[in-house]
Amino acid sequence: MGAEFVQLSLTPILIGVLAAIACALPGNFLVLRRQALIGDAISHVVLPGIVVAFLMTGAIAAVPMLLGAAGAALVAVGLIEAIRRLGKIEPGAAMGVVFTALFAAGVLMLERTDTSAVHLDVEHALMGNLESLIWFSADGWASLVDPAALAELPPELGRMAITCAIVAVLTLIFWRPLKLSTFDEGFARTLGLPVALIGLGLVATAALAAVAAFDAVGSIIVIAMFICPPAAARMLTNRLGRQVGLSALIAAGSAIVGYVAAGYGPIWLGGGDSVSAAGMIAAISGLVLAAAARFGPCRHRLGAGAEAV
Amino acid sequence: MSVADITPALSVQGLTVSYGQKPAVFDVSAAFRPRAMTAIIGPNGAGKSTMLKAALGVVPRLSGEVRVFGQPLSEARARIAYVPQRASVDWDFPTNVRDVVLMGLYRKVGLLGRITGAHRRLADECLARVGIEGFAGRQIGQLSGGQQQRVFLARALAQEADLYLLDEPFAGVDAATERAIIEVLKGLKAEGKAVVAVHHDLSTVGAYFDDVLLLNVRRIAAGPVEAAFTAESLQATYGGRLAGAHIDQLGLRSA
């Protein structure tokens, strides 16, 4: 755990932790609103938007990618409405069709275009490039206080830290309206709360987290972190505040344990190469969810309506 | 004192609401008195809840005007308390009873205001008024149907409003809860508040309420119970769905 760890593992772990937390925070409210698949949907739609933004600007930069992702989300919403109305089918089916089709279009575009110069291909879209976000100029823990080395931290770290901070601050400021409108939308409306705007803001915040995280860690982590940590935390507590705090802890823990297990697990088990960190992090969060579903203290409903579920 | 002399607690003019092609509520005008309890009754699908929600802006209205104590809705929200149907929320939501009651204080504490001891005491007083003071720390998923309804009523009390709108407050609750709720509502009326409730039990209309609005998409009849709650208006509201024998049991005078 010395110089090599700081250079090779510290920044990927930090980026993974920040991405996981940024996705898990809005994920809590999406899960409670039974909109968990919105997170899934966003991370799919984001891909073609990012590819188009890249093709137009020729560079991987945060602002064009965010705009591209937002544009793709708008196109997706328009398509969903059109399919739902013209085809007269339920919104869930229209969503499923649009998101998978757009994601597939994104994959094809990626394949047919020359993106060899940058970290943008199908594999990265799914699994990110967490392992490559290393801190070249670091040569030990002392680098943490060395301005020259700090200046060469991977830019994804700063981007992810800012995103995570924005998501956390928004969650804190709008805690009460989010909680109220998630629990009892009708009542929230009678108070004059802009319920539709709050819902839109939540999805937009989730999209921000998804776009920022997608670039660094890929869509597998994004999808897993929107759902697994919040769902596991829900079964560990009956208080919303504790649930959100626990979900952040589970997300961070999954990122750390997953990264270490992916890097060293196969070696410890006598195997050869390491495995995908993104895949391992998502798998760990799934295991935590399974454990919470089996052993969590708040899995059961006791009062009225228990038999109806 | 005639009804026309006082500003109604709630008045709707030409209210029309539609969920699709067919209107759920059509051109309904009605006024609800303060210091009175009014029942909105009608068959299933008559638009009772929809009318209440449209009056509150919970569902959009196609046309119509709503006034609360003579003011537009947007200026009078602080004077309104709303008790939605129990089944409209997910009781698995991770929160406890006192927290739900504190939601009634949102307009007072705002986005970031501190919840103080005084707020908590008010919440606990409201729980005591509905008779479940021992449940403040209880997870809401562990409540019975009657207890859920009492929590919602306590939240409305915490709003310290002048107009209380309740959507089916007695639906699926036990007899003790029904008695507790009606006592609270009568107490509100005694304080001069207006109470409007969507109600489905015709046999208790006379005992519980002062006024009645009979609704079946359109307004059928309205007024004091003894004048408007007649066999004829019930027949007109429910049509063939209400057997003559049932109406006879209500012991109504024929107008």
Side-chain angles (χ1 to χ4, degrees):
Chain A
M1 293 292 266
E4 193 182 292
F5 173 81
V6 175
Q7 190 176 43
L8 298 179
S9 299
L10 183 63
T11 44
I13 287 178
L14 282 177
I15 290 168
V17 165
L18 291 168
I21 293 175
C23 292
L25 290 178
N28 280 286
F29 295 96
L30 293 175
V31 166
L32 289 172
R33 287 166 175 243
R34 307 196 186 283
Q35 293 181 334
L37 285 180
I38 290 256
D40 194 340
I42 291 168
S43 53
H44 280 93
V45 168
V46 154
L47 179 67
I50 287 177
V51 176
V52 169
F54 168 74
L55 291 177
M56 286 165 67
T57 61
I60 293 191
V63 174
M65 280 171 65
L66 243 175
L67 291 177
L74 282 179
V75 170
V77 170
L79 278 175
I80 290 167
E81 274 304 296
I83 291 176
R84 198 170 65 81
R85 292 193 181 187
L86 297 175
K88 293 194 172 66
I89 57 170
E90 53 155 330
M95 262 192 183
V97 168
V98 170
F99 290 134
T100 46
L102 282 176
F103 185 71
V107 169
L108 287 179
M109 273 192 282
L110 263 180
E111 272 193 339
R112 300 307 304 169
T113 51
D114 180 25
T115 52
S116 54
V118 293
H119 285 301
L120 199 61
D121 57 41
V122 175
E123 200 176 314
H124 284 134
L126 281 175
M127 298 184 287
N129 55 345
L130 202 47
E131 292 92 336
S132 67
L133 299 176
I134 52 178
W135 190 9
F136 269 123
S137 50
D139 53 10
W141 291 102
S143 299
L144 284 176
V145 290
D146 175 8
L150 284 175
E152 291 185 30
L153 277 170
E156 285 86 351
L157 181 61
R159 207 181 299 158
M160 214 52 247
I162 292 170
T163 305
C164 191
I166 290 175
V167 171
V169 167
L170 286 175
T171 307
L172 278 176
I173 291 179
F174 294 105
W175 182 263
R176 280 181 195 149
L178 270 172
K179 179 175 173 178
L180 241 171
S181 61
T182 301
F183 171 61
D184 193 343
E185 190 185 306
F187 183 77
R189 276 184 205 273
T190 67
L191 298 178
L193 282 173
V195 170
L197 199 64
I198 294 167
L200 199 68
L202 176 62
V203 172
T205 306
L208 171 74
V211 173
F214 178 88
D215 162 36
V217 300
S219 61
I220 290 181
I221 293 191
V222 171
I223 296 169
M225 289 304 149
F226 271 131
I227 299 177
C228 293
R234 174 63 191 92
M235 287 182 274
L236 297 176
T237 176
N238 276 327
R239 299 300 303 272
L240 182 61
R242 272 180 226 154
Q243 178 192 321
V244 173
L246 275 173
S247 75
L249 281 179
I250 293 170
S254 301
I256 297 169
V257 173
Y259 189 85
V260 172
Y264 302 101
I267 300 168
W268 292 335
L269 292 174
D273 298 332
S274 59
V275 297
S276 154
M280 186 59 89
I281 291 171
I284 294 283
S285 74
L287 286 177
V288 173
L289 175 56
R294 178 66 188 84
F295 303 108
C298 305
R299 326 192 298 285
H300 295 297
R301 183 163 178 184
L302 304 168
E307 63 288 339
V309 175
Chain B
M1 188 164 60
S2 81
V3 175
D5 292 338
I6 42 173
T7 309
L10 171 68
S11 72
V12 296
Q13 283 294 322
L15 185 72
T16 297
V17 185
S18 171
Y19 286 130
Q21 302 287 325
K22 212 167 144 252
V25 173
F26 187 74
D27 195 25
V28 169
S29 298
F32 301 89
R33 288 189 291 155
R35 200 178 281 277
M37 288 173 60
T38 307
I40 302 175
I41 58 174
N44 289 332
K48 308 184 292 288
S49 295
T50 302
M51 194 205 116
L52 205 63
K53 287 181 190 158
L56 281 161
V58 174
V59 298
R61 46 184 190 266
L62 277 185
S63 65
E65 196 194 1
V66 178
R67 296 215 152 235
V68 177
F69 296 102
Q71 292 175 300
L73 183 62
S74 56
E75 287 166 36
R77 290 202 183 275
R79 302 184 71 180
I80 305 171
Y82 172 51
V83 179
Q85 285 185 18
R86 266 192 312 122
S88 68
V89 308
D90 174 10
W91 291 91
D92 279 338
F93 192 85
T95 192
N96 66 20
V97 166
R98 185 188 283 123
D99 242 23
V100 173
V101 179
L102 286 171
M103 288 179 189
L105 294 170
Y106 177 77
R107 288 189 66 87
K108 287 182 197 118
V109 296
L111 210 52
L112 299 168
R114 268 186 76 80
I115 299 275
T116 63
H119 292 133
R120 285 196 196 87
R121 275 193 297 282
L122 172 62
D124 289 351
E125 277 166 34
C126 295
L127 285 171
R129 276 172 80 181
V130 300
I132 50 168
E133 56 271 40
F135 287 71
R138 187 77 63 98
Q139 152 69 15
I140 58 169
Q142 299 171 358
L143 302 174
S144 71
Q147 289 161 347
Q148 290 173 351
Q149 194 65 59
R150 293 185 199 214
V151 172
F152 265 5
L153 183 58
R155 179 177 68 177
L157 293 174
Q159 291 184 276
E160 297 182 314
D162 298 312
L163 167 63
Y164 288 78
L165 298 165
L166 303 93
D167 199 347
E168 303 254 14
F170 305 114
V173 303
D174 52 284
T177 298
E178 180 154 341
R179 275 196 304 278
I181 292 175
I182 201 68
E183 283 314 308
V184 170
L185 296 183
K186 286 186 168 164
L188 288 172
K189 177 184 140 190
E191 292 170 29
K193 319 279 193 190
V195 177
V196 178
V198 172
H199 192 57
H200 66 287
D201 181 4
L202 296 180
S203 67
T204 51
V205 169
Y208 291 173
F209 294 95
D210 307 298
D211 293 354
V212 67
L213 167 66
L214 290 113
L215 194 71
N216 191 349
V217 182
R218 296 158 190 271
R219 166 184 160 145
I220 307 293
V225 169
E226 54 273 18
F229 192 64
T230 62
E232 287 77 15
S233 61
L234 279 173
Q235 203 56 260
T237 309
Y238 286 83
R241 275 175 280 194
L242 206 60
H246 191 161
I247 294 182
D248 291 342
Q249 281 173 9
L250 297 173
L252 300 171
R253 287 177 299 106
S254 211

